[in-house]
Each structure stands twice: as structure tokens, then as C-alpha cells.
Amino acid sequence: MVLKIIILKAEKPVDQFVVNGEKTLIGRRSECDISLKDPAVSGNHAEISRVKGRFIITDLGSTNGLHIGGRKITQHVLKDGDLLSVGEHQLKVMLSPGEVGDRAREQMVAREKAAGKAPGVSPDGPDSTEVRARPQTGPAGELQGFLRVLNGANAGQRIELQQALTTIGEPGVQVAAISKRPQGHFIIHVDGGKDKDRVPLVNGEPTGFKSRKLEVGDKIEVAGVNMEYRGSD
């Protein structure tokens, strides 16, 4: 498995790291493998160890601790999609098959495709042709928005965008992330698979390696899947 860590601050992706080796040190010190210039982060804050194919993060007695979902932890086996809080930063965990491949995961993905399923995608009612002028807001002004899948076995289904960071695509092929910020939703390149320069397309144009704000009606292509960014139904 390959472990990629996306670093967020104020819900905005600011950096990303591929974890190599058996141990990866996280902290404020510049010699750390993942260095976070954050006064709330200890010099040596936490460590990621690879043990029998699993990645385990351990708090190294930091001052402000390590949290997942508001819960303080001392040790945790990392899972795809985990969001950890370290000081004022968040670490988004992405696990994907390596170049050799993880056979069990590949077979699971193949079965899900054959069954017409997709991780992170849930069925919804018939598609509406209405396109709103801007994303809608819910209770207390919370930004709403989702992606509508336009092609393939999952056409018509939707991907909710209510988390701080939502990953889309297929691990090992192409992955992008959509971050939710006060200004709206932004798409950013994460991984192009074997083609490192393969970036998402928005309205047929490459996004490049910087984040791009989405507008309602934008057409997105990631890993051969076409989607449309929509506001609230």
C-alpha cells in the first residue's frame, strides 16, 4: 500500500507527502519528515510506523496531542479517509495500492464496479436539468453542494461535499480532492497514477497543480468519470 498525507490548514490543502520508509516523523522541527511550522505542534509530535503492511500513527508525548474527530488518541491504525488534527493543521489520509498492487483491494474495486457501485457515491433520485446560479446554503449558512456523476454505471448518482476534504477518482489511476472553504468548493490535483502529470479537467481544461474554485454547472473529469458540480436540490 502507498500512504499519501494531504496537509490542510483552515480547511485548505497546503501540501502533500508520500510516506516512504518504515518510520515517518511529524513535528515542528525542520528535520522532521513532515515538518509543520505551527506553534501548537511539538518539535517531535507524532510518528507513523509501517508494521506488516499497516500504517500506525503514535503520539510522542506531544503537548497538545493528536486527535481524530475531536477524540484524543495515543495510537491509531490509519484508514483511508482518516482526518487527523495536529495543532492548527489537519492530515488527510489516503491509502492506495502500490505499483505492484494490492490484489484484495483491486478485486474489491472490480466487484464494486461490476455491481454498479462506487466508493463515496450514493444513489439519488432522477437527475434534474435545473442549474442554479450559485451553491446553496443550509442551516446557519452552511455551504451546500455535490457532484452528479454523468457517465458509466453510476450515472445519476451523487457525491456529497459536506466534509472539509472529499477525495474523488480511483486510487492508482487518478485521484483529486475537493476542499470545502468559506469561499466555496475548490478542486485540487492529488495523484495522477502512473502518469504523474495527469491532472483533473474542468470544462475540458486541465486544472494544473493549484486549486481551482468550482462554479455551479462546471463539468469535471477524473479517472475517466465525468461529473457536474451542483448546488442544493
Side-chain angles (χ1 to χ4, degrees):
M1 297 292 288
V2 173
L3 171 60
K4 179 173 288 189
I5 300 290
I6 302 175
I7 309 297
L8 300 96
K9 186 173 184 180
E11 300 183 350
K12 177 182 178 181
V14 294
D15 208 344
Q16 57 182 328
F17 297 87
V18 174
V19 173
N20 295 309
E22 297 302 309
K23 293 185 181 297
T24 300
L25 186 61
I26 302 169
R28 192 178 66 253
R29 299 171 62 184
S30 58
E31 56 264 37
C32 290
D33 301 295
I34 299 178
S35 179
L36 303 175
K37 303 308 178 185
D38 180 343
V41 173
S42 296
N44 293 333
H45 197 104
E47 184 178 73
I48 298 175
S49 303
R50 182 164 187 160
V51 181
K52 296 181 179 180
R54 301 190 303 172
F55 293 94
I56 301 173
I57 190 166
T58 303
D59 186 272
L60 298 177
S62 64
T63 300
N64 293 308
L66 187 65
H67 298 79
I68 295 182
R71 178 174 57 90
K72 189 174 183 179
I73 61 171
T74 55
Q75 193 172 72
H76 175 74
V77 178
L78 295 177
K79 300 185 295 296
D80 186 45
D82 277 348
L83 189 64
L84 301 96
S85 295
V86 181
E88 296 180 358
H89 289 75
Q90 291 181 306
L91 280 59
K92 177 77 171 183
V93 174
M94 294 188 62
L95 287 167
S96 62
E99 293 182 0
V100 175
D102 182 323
R103 291 297 178 188
R105 185 181 177 94
E106 290 172 350
Q107 290 171 3
M108 180 185 72
V109 171
R111 288 196 299 269
E112 289 180 340
K113 284 184 176 180
K117 300 178 181 179
V121 180
S122 59
D124 188 62
D127 194 11
S128 169
T129 58
E130 178 185 6
V131 177
R132 301 183 186 270
R134 62 185 183 279
Q136 302 298 299
T137 55
E142 182 183 0
L143 178 68
Q144 304 293 308
F146 63 92
L147 299 178
R148 179 78 71 184
V149 180
L150 301 177
N151 66 333
N154 299 301
Q157 295 178 331
R158 60 190 273 167
I159 302 173
E160 301 291 348
L161 302 175
Q162 296 311 303
Q163 301 298 319
L165 193 73
T166 303
T167 54
I168 56 176
E170 184 177 339
V173 178
Q174 187 184 19
V175 176
I178 296 179
S179 64
K180 180 183 177 183
R181 310 179 195 172
Q183 303 91 339
H185 287 102
F186 291 73
I187 186 169
I188 186 171
H189 165 81
V190 173
D191 183 24
K194 293 182 179 179
D195 183 355
K196 303 301 181 183
D197 295 324
R198 184 183 183 187
V199 297
L201 301 180
V202 176
N203 300 326
E205 299 179 355
T207 60
F209 295 93
K210 295 183 178 180
S211 63
R212 170 171 171 165
K213 185 178 181 182
L214 294 173
E215 303 292 341
V216 171
D218 277 349
K219 302 298 192 301
I220 301 166
E221 182 181 336
V222 177
V225 177
N226 297 317
M227 294 159 276
E228 182 181 16
Y229 175 62
R230 302 288 296 274
S232 178
D233 279 334

